[in-house]
Amino acid sequence: MSLVVQKYGGTSVGSVERIQSVAQRVIKKAQLGNSLVVVVSAMGKTTDGLIKLANEISSNPSRREMDMLLSTGEQVSIALLCMALQELGQPAISLTGAQVGIVTEAQHSRARILNINTERIERHLNEGKVVVVAGFQGISSTDELEITTLGRGGSDTSAVALAASLRADCCEIYTDVPGILTADPRLVPDAQLMDEITSDEMLELASLGAKVLHPRAVEIARNYGVMLVVLSSWTDDPGTKVVSPASGTRSLEGLEIARAVDAVEFDTDQAKVALLRVPDRPGVAARLFGEIAHQDLDVDLIIQSIHEGNTNDIAFTVVKGILKRAEAVAEAIAPTLRSHNTVNSEEAEVMVERGIAKVAIAGAGMIGRPGIAAQMFKTLASAGANIQMISTSEVKVSCVIDAQDCDQAIAALCETFEINSSPVQQAIASKPKDTDTTLANPLSPVRGVALDLNQARLAIRYVRDRPGMAAQLFGLLAEQNISVDMIIQSQRCRVIDGVPTRDIAFTVAQADGEAARTALNQAMSVLGCGEILLDPNIAKVSIVGAGMVGQPGVAARMFEALAEHKINIQMITTSEIKISCVVAKEDGVTALQVIHKAFGLAGTQKIEVPA
């Protein structure tokens, strides 16, 4: 007998007819000999309706009372589904988050799960009942036993956390699409269904706006080795498996607040090539990395900073063994990028740095924790290491520093993040630690393409180029609970009043843009930086795939697809399994579609998304 946790979203239980359909599906699964825990969301647009009611009463309702109000939506769903099951002869019982024993932090509207007391669920399962649980909610660990909610995607989180705590054989997430697709079918009608995807790839896609799964749910599945399957509520198709590594013996205590960083990694076999003051126009990146791919050279990090005037900078890292070849490619291309009527050598200037190292922190627990990157930067500053390049993903933050500072930096990072086992202190060039390798030979190195239209970019001009500045900037944002996505530090150094400076640009959620600018403006006199610019009219388009590792030419193909459609790249950042480009917001949807086509991800069947 298998234990299965199922989750049905608001659309799946949006009417009496749909609830009855879910009941039929649940019974069918139970009749196969499975024990079932079913997690449900509020019906349809119930939560939106409750929020509207609250706003009619108060312009600023308290978080506590909002939790009290919103938690009622799921209670309606669980009671009705239990009635439907009982009408069909299936013993069932409905339980709220509190009755289940989902214990959370005392943080209203965004609580994280601490642990789940599974004794009551197990007793009902042993009695042959289907246990129907209210998703999205829990109860605080304080004496007051406050009702809490988990925030956006909370029902996904509830379901996967229950599966982890119960050691379930599988967690099935039912939604309005047939599984995980290569792109949003609303924007790319020929998006293709994937049979399998790794949890790391799914983490990246979820964080980039793929709404099928919430990153917190994927994080729990990854940390505890939960078999996760995404299926359609309307068909019997097999859906998509999200494959996670073996969980080991990770403790279930502090389920969602366990150590954020699992590993500290380093690579001293790195060198950097930078092209400064290249024209800010479509096709430049495609030309450079197209020739690099033609020479079969594998590039690690790629950074393109924000433009200054009509130019910007592009930098990339390679292993030292191919540095001379990479430098030769850059030197050969540089003259073709300069103005036709000038021989000014400052244009498209090639700079090479051999004495660098890449250090990184990795861990799925970093998701949604604004202070982790700032803590890393602060630690590097305390070790005297100045940051030359920064690259971020959902599960890793990488920094390029001077090679001579590497040993001290690694020791400091291990101490800060309480990483004390030596096996994780190893070169990251040999095998990326934020990549599952459980999928065999995917057809394309790119598994999915995602578009995020809900970001804003901030640029801070003339930040002093010295240890500790990034820590101060991003520590300030962390204090305001503002999560930062892409972070890019320019390679160009400008000396002002005898002080070397560089620009730093980063992206945040649009809703946090003004708050981030205000916080930084208030600290300008202390930080000693120049102007702060906010641009909400951007789009971020990204490709994700574990198969990109060790595959020269992937970035070039992405850049070429954009160049062919005259889409200018404003920023670039990469990790081992992701490449992200910032483009103008008006170009976002087109960028998504042409990149999806460039990697041959289209399917033969059009995916219909129910209303």
Side-chain angles (χ1 to χ4, degrees):
M1 180 183 290
S2 297
L3 172 57
V4 178
V5 176
Q6 295 184 333
K7 178 263 178 177
Y8 295 91
T11 305
S12 302
V13 293
S15 66
V16 168
E17 292 76 20
R18 289 183 175 181
I19 288 173
Q20 290 171 331
S21 176
V22 167
Q24 293 279 5
R25 187 180 291 273
V26 170
I27 288 175
K28 184 177 179 181
K29 193 81 171 183
Q31 287 175 342
L32 295 174
N34 298 295
S35 295
L36 282 173
V37 175
V38 181
V39 178
V40 294
S41 301
M43 294 176 63
K45 301 293 184 180
T46 297
T47 300
D48 292 340
L50 292 172
I51 292 172
K52 183 179 178 182
L53 283 174
N55 290 333
E56 289 175 2
I57 296 291
S58 170
S59 60
N60 186 28
S62 75
R63 290 179 180 272
R64 181 190 184 277
E65 299 310 326
M66 286 300 294
D67 277 2
M68 188 68 74
L69 175 66
L70 297 183
S71 65
T72 64
E74 281 70 24
Q75 288 180 237
V76 174
S77 299
I78 60 175
L80 291 175
L81 180 55
C82 266
M83 293 175 191
L85 289 167
Q86 291 164 359
E87 280 295 301
L88 295 171
Q90 171 62 53
I93 185 169
S94 62
L95 297 173
T96 65
Q99 290 173 316
V100 164
I102 299 177
V103 180
T104 75
E105 304 169 302
Q107 291 284 338
H108 289 293
S109 80
R110 57 174 186 269
R112 287 181 178 266
I113 298 173
L114 299 177
N115 56 71
I116 300 178
N117 183 350
T118 60
E119 182 179 347
R120 184 171 182 182
I121 294 180
E122 290 168 345
R123 184 172 76 250
H124 291 309
L125 290 173
N126 290 333
E127 293 168 352
K129 296 177 181 176
V130 169
V131 180
V132 183
V133 178
F136 177 66
Q137 61 182 250
I139 192 165
S140 73
S141 58
T142 61
D143 293 338
E144 287 80 7
L145 300 179
E146 291 286 306
I147 291 175
T148 56
T149 62
L150 308 182
R152 190 174 68 85
S155 292
D156 286 353
T157 305
S158 300
V160 182
L162 280 164
S165 299
L166 290 164
R167 309 291 185 188
D169 296 280
C170 182
C171 181
E172 300 175 344
I173 305 292
Y174 287 87
T175 182
D176 55 4
V177 291
I180 309 300
L181 302 170
T182 53
D184 185 340
R186 298 169 182 86
L187 301 176
V188 183
D190 58 1
Q192 185 176 357
L193 179 67
M194 298 182 229
D195 295 329
E196 289 186 335
I197 187 171
T198 69
S199 57
D200 283 315
E201 291 169 326
M202 191 65 241
L203 273 173
E204 297 289 3
L205 288 172
S207 72
L208 293 167
K211 299 175 181 178
V212 178
L213 282 173
H214 194 273
R216 283 172 62 184
V218 184
E219 173 194 0
I220 297 170
R222 180 185 187 274
N223 286 344
Y224 293 95
V226 175
M227 171 57 74
L228 197 55
V229 185
V230 180
L231 309 107
S232 170
S233 296
W234 323 112
T235 71
D236 292 323
D237 294 340
T240 304
K241 291 181 180 179
V242 181
V243 181
S244 297
S247 63
T249 56
R250 192 180 185 113
S251 172
L252 286 162
E253 287 298 317
L255 196 147
E256 270 202 286
I257 61 166
R259 188 168 59 196
V261 175
D262 294 326
V264 173
E265 306 165 351
F266 68 91
D267 183 2
T268 55
D269 186 27
Q270 291 261 311
K272 178 177 69 176
V273 179
L275 277 82
L276 308 185
R277 295 174 292 277
V278 297
D280 181 33
R281 65 173 184 245
V284 172
R287 196 168 183 179
L288 171 62
F289 291 101
E291 184 57 34
I292 288 173
H294 182 69
Q295 299 296 325
D296 200 32
L297 302 177
D298 195 17
V299 173
D300 187 2
L301 298 182
I302 302 173
I303 299 293
Q304 178 180 304
S305 60
I306 55 170
H307 68 88
E308 182 174 343
N310 295 319
T311 67
N312 52 32
D313 307 329
I314 299 177
F316 59 94
T317 64
V318 294
V319 296
K320 290 178 180 177
I322 63 170
L323 173 60
K324 288 185 178 180
R325 294 167 62 198
E327 182 181 6
V329 171
E331 291 284 8
I333 287 177
T336 69
L337 300 178
R338 294 170 187 151
S339 303
H340 294 298
N341 57 356
T342 180
V343 292
N344 185 352
S345 62
E346 288 189 354
E347 287 187 308
E349 178 187 2
V350 178
M351 296 184 64
V352 173
E353 177 68 49
R354 292 173 175 81
I356 65 167
K358 183 171 73 170
V359 297
I361 56 173
M366 294 191 288
I367 295 170
R369 300 188 189 184
I372 300 299
Q375 195 174 4
M376 179 188 189
F377 303 154
K378 183 178 179 180
T379 301
L380 292 175
S382 68
N386 197 32
I387 299 171
Q388 299 181 24
M389 297 172 71
I390 299 169
S391 176
T392 58
S393 77
E394 278 301 299
V395 293
K396 180 175 285 188
V397 181
S398 301
C399 295
V400 170
I401 61 174
D402 285 338
Q404 64 186 15
D405 296 326
C406 184
D407 288 346
Q408 191 169 346
I410 290 296
L413 289 170
C414 286
E415 181 178 356
T416 295
F417 294 106
E418 300 179 354
I419 304 296
N420 51 26
S421 68
S422 57
V424 298
Q425 302 173 34
Q426 52 190 299
I428 53 183
S430 57
K431 180 180 178 182
K433 296 301 180 294
D434 65 350
T435 306
D436 294 332
T437 54
T438 48
L439 298 188
N441 301 319
L443 295 178
S444 169
V446 174
R447 308 302 312 289
V449 187
L451 175 67
D452 190 343
L453 295 170
N454 297 309
Q455 293 218 342
R457 178 181 60 211
L458 286 100
I460 311 173
R461 298 290 192 186
Y462 316 136
V463 179
R464 295 168 185 165
D465 185 25
R466 66 186 187 197
M469 291 306 299
Q472 283 185 265
L473 290 171
F474 295 106
L476 185 65
L477 296 175
E479 289 173 5
Q480 302 297 317
N481 201 37
I482 296 173
S483 292
V484 176
D485 186 12
M486 296 173 68
I487 303 174
I488 297 177
Q489 179 173 278
S490 71
Q491 297 303 295
R492 196 180 316 184
C493 185
R494 182 183 293 273
V495 178
I496 299 177
D497 297 329
V499 178
T501 68
R502 298 183 190 272
D503 298 339
I504 293 181
F506 58 92
T507 61
V508 297
Q510 272 186 3
D512 291 332
E514 284 293 345
R517 177 164 64 176
T518 298
L520 292 170
N521 273 326
Q522 291 173 348
M524 277 185 66
S525 59
V526 177
L527 297 172
C529 54
E531 63 181 336
I532 298 169
L533 307 173
L534 174 64
D535 183 2
N537 296 313
I538 64 165
K540 185 179 73 171
V541 62
S542 306
I543 57 175
V544 173
M548 292 194 293
V549 178
Q551 292 287 326
V554 175
R557 202 188 314 179
M558 180 183 188
F559 303 155
E560 286 165 0
L562 296 174
E564 287 172 6
H565 289 78
K566 308 300 182 186
I567 298 174
N568 195 35
I569 300 172
Q570 300 180 17
M571 295 167 67
I572 302 170
T573 188
T574 66
S575 71
E576 281 88 348
I577 65 170
K578 179 177 75 173
I579 302 173
S580 295
C581 295
V582 168
V583 300
K585 193 165 192 173
E586 63 189 24
D587 293 329
V589 173
T590 301
L592 174 73
Q593 293 169 343
V594 301
I595 292 170
H596 189 268
K597 183 178 180 180
F599 286 99
L601 297 177
T604 57
Q605 181 180 2
K606 185 176 180 180
I607 304 296
E608 297 288 344
V609 180

